[in-house]
Amino acid sequence: MYPKSILKLIEDFKSLPGVGAKTAERYALRILEKDEEEVEMFAEDLLNLKKKIRYCRICGNITEGEICDICADDSRNHAVICVVQEAKDIFALEKTGYKGVYHVLNGAISPAKGILPDHINIPSLLDRVDENVEEVILATNPTMEGETTALYLSKILKEKNTEVSRLAHGLPMGGNLDYADELTLIKAMEGRTKES
Amino acid sequence: MYPKSILKLIEDFKSLPGVGAKTAERYALRILEKDEEEVEMFAEDLLNLKKKIRYCRICGNITEGEICDICADDSRNHAVICVVQEAKDIFALEKTGYKGVYHVLNGAISPAKGILPDHINIPSLLDRVDENVEEVILATNPTMEGETTALYLSKILKEKNTEVSRLAHGLPMGGNLDYADELTLIKAMEGRTKES
């Protein structure tokens, strides 16, 4: 058996996504090999994260300031708002070269879990969408909850006469067609585009 | 781009074995979702590890006390010493049901890296091996450095008239013969046992 202080750290590592007992053990033993200074820095970075990170007053993105870098960037198109469920989705979408701004819902509507529109950042989105906004892109997850949320937002935003679009569904690039599940294939078929 | 405090923590996680940029990112974002209390505990456990862990005065195993649990256990056979390179090897060997004690070299002899017998815990091993020790089991790794170390120890321990044995080399259980590398097959052939 490992000493208690190692067992405790192994438990901490096991709380990270996809980390099992064996991996957590390797991480803890690696920590043991590090200099005291390096471990102190690690611990400090952990604490700093929780202390310094806040949510952007405008879009709900994670930031160290009052407003996130994207909302503060005047070179971006503030008339296009892309709606995502989680802040981490922004970092994925940024790789596409998208130059509009975002709105982080911080969840999705789920009647089953009792999560209603007012419980996530939908009111703040509706406040943001005025005559200056040209398009709202719905980029919620292609899951039951994400679809429900997109449907709900689509309905009320259209009532406000805002142009609403939705990320395309279909076959993921680089995969084989026969690996795609039925629902994806149905979506790919429905969303098929004409060859010109 | 992520805020600086997240980037710093991502770097910390990347220093763990087998953790790439993507995994480190997932870990850091998971930390962000945790309660402040839980993260404080994680940081404290990291610091505690370095503060509390010491090396057993007798065998060099990691421990929180002066002597490790294994050396302090009178029900074990202190006349049999199993020599390993690293403390973590002990936790692997404990699963075999071995009831002797251990000696952690904390490395292996490597002329290429300038690591000589006196640089690792070999002098303390030789001090331990007296007339009360019945057998020394060499369980160094089956690598160039581990083999060199085993050869060296075997020679000087035999000069002391101590019985010396070495863990068997051969085919790993549960694998296919054709997956084994040539060196393993040669060792398995050399070490073949008679069927009775």
Side-chain angles (χ1 to χ4, degrees):
Chain A
M1 270 304 259
Y2 284 108
K4 219 175 83 188
S5 52
I6 296 191
L7 292 177
K8 280 184 77 177
L9 190 62
I10 289 176
E11 282 308 306
D12 292 326
F13 278 125
K14 272 167 72 179
S15 74
L16 297 174
V19 177
K22 201 75 200 165
T23 305
E25 186 184 316
R26 280 172 61 214
Y27 290 173
L29 292 173
R30 184 68 191 67
I31 294 291
L32 204 59
E33 289 168 10
K34 284 179 185 283
D35 305 340
E36 188 137 359
E37 236 172 84
E38 206 183 336
V39 177
E40 275 168 13
M41 186 63 79
F42 198 151
E44 204 181 297
D45 290 345
L46 272 171
L47 296 172
N48 265 338
L49 186 75
K50 291 301 283 187
K51 268 183 218 139
K52 288 193 180 168
I53 292 292
R54 290 191 283 170
Y55 297 94
C56 173
R57 198 167 45 78
I58 298 172
C59 75
N61 185 15
I62 49 180
T63 174
E64 288 184 8
E66 184 146 353
I67 290 171
C68 77
D69 291 349
I70 294 173
C71 286
D73 185 347
D74 286 335
S75 76
R76 301 186 70 120
N77 184 358
H78 290 250
V80 178
I81 300 176
C82 178
V83 178
V84 294
Q85 287 183 214
E86 309 291 344
K88 62 184 169 198
D89 300 330
I90 293 182
F91 301 96
L93 287 165
E94 280 294 276
K95 291 170 192 153
T96 66
Y98 171 71
K99 285 296 172 220
V101 291
Y102 295 93
H103 194 85
V104 182
L105 295 178
N106 206 23
I109 299 171
S110 171
K113 292 183 193 157
I115 301 172
L116 303 174
D118 285 0
H119 297 146
I120 57 176
N121 297 334
I122 285 181
S124 59
L125 172 65
L126 300 180
D127 286 346
R128 269 179 92 183
V129 177
D130 56 20
E131 63 278 8
N132 296 321
V133 171
E134 290 162 10
E135 184 182 357
V136 173
I137 303 170
L138 302 175
T140 50
N141 291 333
T143 57
M144 176 79 90
E145 294 171 0
E147 295 286 337
T148 305
T149 309
L151 215 66
Y152 175 86
L153 287 177
S154 180
K155 189 166 160 284
I156 47 173
L157 289 170
K158 275 179 191 159
E159 280 169 10
K160 290 183 102 172
N161 284 322
T162 316
E163 192 173 313
V164 181
S165 64
R166 183 108 179 76
L167 286 195
H169 293 305
L171 297 174
M173 299 300 288
N176 282 327
L177 194 131
D178 56 347
Y179 283 166
D181 62 290
E182 197 187 315
L183 213 59
T184 301
L185 278 175
I186 292 171
K187 288 283 185 187
M189 193 58 91
E190 281 174 3
R192 66 190 181 276
T193 53
K194 270 217 176 81
E195 294 286 284
S196 58
Chain B
M1 269 306 255
Y2 283 108
K4 219 175 82 190
S5 52
I6 296 192
L7 291 176
K8 281 183 78 179
L9 190 62
I10 289 176
E11 282 309 306
D12 293 326
F13 278 125
K14 273 167 70 179
S15 74
L16 297 174
V19 177
K22 201 76 201 162
T23 305
E25 189 185 314
R26 279 173 60 215
Y27 290 173
L29 291 173
R30 185 67 190 67
I31 295 291
L32 204 57
E33 289 168 10
K34 284 178 187 284
D35 305 341
E36 189 137 0
E37 235 172 83
E38 206 183 340
V39 177
E40 273 167 15
M41 187 63 79
F42 197 152
E44 204 181 297
D45 290 344
L46 273 171
L47 296 172
N48 266 339
L49 186 75
K50 292 301 283 187
K51 266 183 220 139
K52 289 193 180 165
I53 292 292
R54 291 191 283 171
Y55 296 95
C56 172
R57 201 167 44 77
I58 298 172
C59 75
N61 185 15
I62 49 181
T63 173
E64 288 184 9
E66 184 147 354
I67 290 172
C68 78
D69 291 348
I70 294 172
C71 286
D73 186 348
D74 286 336
S75 76
R76 300 187 70 119
N77 183 357
H78 289 251
V80 178
I81 300 176
C82 178
V83 178
V84 294
Q85 286 182 215
E86 310 292 344
K88 61 184 169 198
D89 299 330
I90 292 181
F91 301 98
L93 288 166
E94 279 295 278
K95 292 170 191 153
T96 66
Y98 171 71
K99 287 294 171 221
V101 293
Y102 295 92
H103 194 86
V104 181
L105 295 177
N106 207 21
I109 298 171
S110 170
K113 293 182 190 159
I115 301 172
L116 303 174
D118 285 0
H119 297 147
I120 57 178
N121 297 335
I122 285 181
S124 58
L125 172 66
L126 301 179
D127 286 346
R128 270 181 91 182
V129 176
D130 55 22
E131 63 278 7
N132 295 322
V133 171
E134 289 162 10
E135 183 181 358
V136 173
I137 303 169
L138 301 175
T140 51
N141 291 331
T143 59
M144 175 79 89
E145 293 171 0
E147 295 286 337
T148 305
T149 308
L151 216 66
Y152 175 87
L153 287 176
S154 179
K155 191 167 158 284
I156 46 173
L157 289 170
K158 276 178 192 159
E159 281 168 10
K160 290 184 102 169
N161 285 323
T162 317
E163 192 173 314
V164 181
S165 64
R166 181 111 178 75
L167 285 195
H169 293 304
L171 296 174
M173 299 300 289
N176 281 325
L177 194 133
D178 57 346
Y179 284 166
D181 62 290
E182 199 187 315
L183 213 61
T184 301
L185 278 176
I186 292 172
K187 287 284 184 187
M189 192 60 89
E190 282 174 3
R192 66 190 181 278
T193 53
K194 271 215 176 84
E195 292 287 286
S196 57

